[in-house]
Amino acid sequence: MGDSPASYIYMVQHLIEKCLIFHMTKEECIEALSKHANIKSVITVTVWNELEKENREFFEAYAKSHNKNRAIEAKAEAEAEVEASTMIQKLLLDRDHTKKSDKE
């Protein structure tokens, strides 16, 4: 791409679109572009905000979908944590039972 401001903005837009494909939040995208593409946060925010203005319905649906997915992930993590805790407690109980049986 050329060095013109328009081509730079187009590149940032393209990178934001890639972030959207990976279901990243605005904050995650800002951080990723800053860290990996050396793009200043203010540039990413400005381009993102313009994309939101031009594609309001898409971003509303994206936000709803993203929030729903995050809720599902949080629920799955909580269930996994409970399951792990239950397994650990069972292992400890079995171990205690085995120790008592060995002593008898």
Side-chain angles (χ1 to χ4, degrees):
M1 277 189 204
D3 291 342
S4 74
S7 65
Y8 183 75
I9 290 170
Y10 180 77
M11 179 196 68
V12 174
Q13 177 181 337
H14 179 74
L15 292 171
I16 289 172
E17 290 168 357
K18 294 293 185 187
C19 291
L20 295 173
I21 290 170
F22 288 107
H23 305 284
M24 297 171 80
T25 64
K26 184 177 185 177
E27 292 74 22
E28 290 168 336
C29 182
I30 292 166
E31 183 178 333
L33 295 187
S34 175
K35 182 177 180 180
H36 301 291
N38 202 27
I39 296 171
K40 292 183 181 179
S41 298
V42 67
I43 303 295
T44 304
V45 169
T46 302
V47 175
W48 184 293
N49 289 344
E50 287 302 313
L51 288 171
E52 280 185 321
K53 285 180 193 174
E54 294 174 14
N55 304 285
R56 188 161 309 279
E57 288 180 11
F58 168 81
F59 278 93
E60 287 172 359
Y62 182 80
K64 284 180 186 176
S65 172
H66 198 268
N67 289 338
K68 183 179 179 181
N69 289 341
R70 293 287 180 166
I72 290 169
E73 289 172 6
K75 182 180 178 188
E77 288 174 9
E79 289 172 353
E81 190 172 317
V82 167
E83 184 177 338
S85 176
T86 302
M87 275 182 39
I88 291 169
Q89 290 173 357
K90 185 179 182 310
L91 288 170
L92 291 173
L93 186 61
D94 288 348
R95 185 192 69 179
D96 290 344
H97 243 343
T98 302
K99 283 183 180 180
K100 285 182 184 177
S101 296
D102 290 345
K103 288 182 181 179
E104 294 175 355

